[in-house]
Amino acid sequence: MTTSRIRKDAARNWQHIVDTARRFVDEGEDLRLNDVARAASIGVATVYRHFPTSEALLETLARPRLEGLVAFADRAATGDDAWEGFAGFLLAGVEAQVTDASLPPVLATDKHALPETTELVTRLFSATGQLLDHARAAGAVRSGVTHEDIVRLMCGVAFAAGVHALPDERAALTRRYLNITLTGIRVH
């Protein structure tokens, strides 16, 4: 066998593992590597070769959304309206948590399996603080609101929308709860 054939097979297996794991997470099933291997009809050793832990696999699933949120924050930081950038970023963040089941556990942990996940989460939390500071400096956010307040409020909004709504109602409920929260922290 040629090296390119092995690499194509490995890439195909990697993608099949990720797709199978995505189904597990989206359906609310526990992400166990042996179960993923069985469901994907791929050898357990192959799954472990690509993903040494279930946390590494979960972080791989969350990575595109994390990258998207970091990019959103970068764009929001360069916008003209500090409040709109801040509020838009928070909306994107809570909607991502409600629509992508891989994201909340990755954001909730202090220790990540993959260094790139640690970097992305660090950038995301830093961007939240920078956008808050920018909105506060523009006079749009109450002076006593802290970065920690925002992180906890966004977790609360995402949790409440995730628990108290059917899947097809979550986006609307997320926006409603976030708007109520933003009204409370905004300087009018």
Side-chain angles (χ1 to χ4, degrees):
M1 247 193 241
T2 66
T3 304
S4 64
R5 174 74 176 147
I6 294 170
R7 288 186 182 153
K8 285 181 184 179
D9 287 348
R12 197 169 30 252
N13 283 340
W14 183 92
Q15 189 61 57
H16 190 53
I17 294 163
V18 168
D19 292 344
T20 302
R22 171 54 66 189
R23 283 194 304 276
F24 272 63
V25 169
D26 290 347
E27 293 171 5
E29 296 180 35
D30 290 336
L31 193 60
R32 294 187 186 106
L33 296 182
N34 290 0
D35 294 342
V36 171
R38 189 173 18 267
S41 299
I42 292 177
V44 172
T46 300
V47 173
Y48 277 91
R49 192 168 30 258
H50 287 287
F51 302 100
T53 65
S54 58
E55 292 81 12
L57 180 52
L58 184 67
E59 290 173 22
T60 300
L61 297 176
R63 184 177 180 167
R65 195 58 79 105
L66 289 170
E67 290 171 338
L69 288 171
V70 167
F72 190 106
D74 290 344
R75 289 189 306 276
T78 61
D80 293 333
D81 189 321
W83 174 257
E84 289 303 318
F86 176 65
F89 171 69
L90 294 182
L91 178 60
V94 295
E95 283 184 342
Q97 289 184 61
V98 171
T99 59
D100 186 343
S102 69
L103 205 52
V106 170
L107 291 173
T109 187
D110 293 344
K111 190 168 173 15
H112 299 103
L114 304 173
E116 56 269 21
T117 305
T118 301
E119 179 187 341
L120 287 166
V121 170
T122 299
R123 287 180 60 197
L124 194 57
F125 284 122
S126 176
T128 304
Q130 291 168 355
L131 290 169
L132 171 62
D133 291 344
H134 190 222
R136 190 183 301 115
V141 174
R142 295 174 188 252
S143 62
V145 177
T146 67
H147 180 245
E148 291 78 20
D149 293 333
I150 296 302
V151 170
R152 290 176 180 146
L153 286 169
M154 294 310 96
C155 288
V157 167
F159 177 79
V163 168
H164 297 294
L166 297 172
D168 61 336
E169 299 171 334
R170 286 184 184 143
L173 197 57
T174 298
R175 282 188 203 90
R176 175 176 163 70
Y177 289 166
L178 182 61
N179 284 332
I180 291 168
T181 302
L182 291 174
T183 298
I185 66 169
R186 187 172 189 182
V187 172
H188 296 282

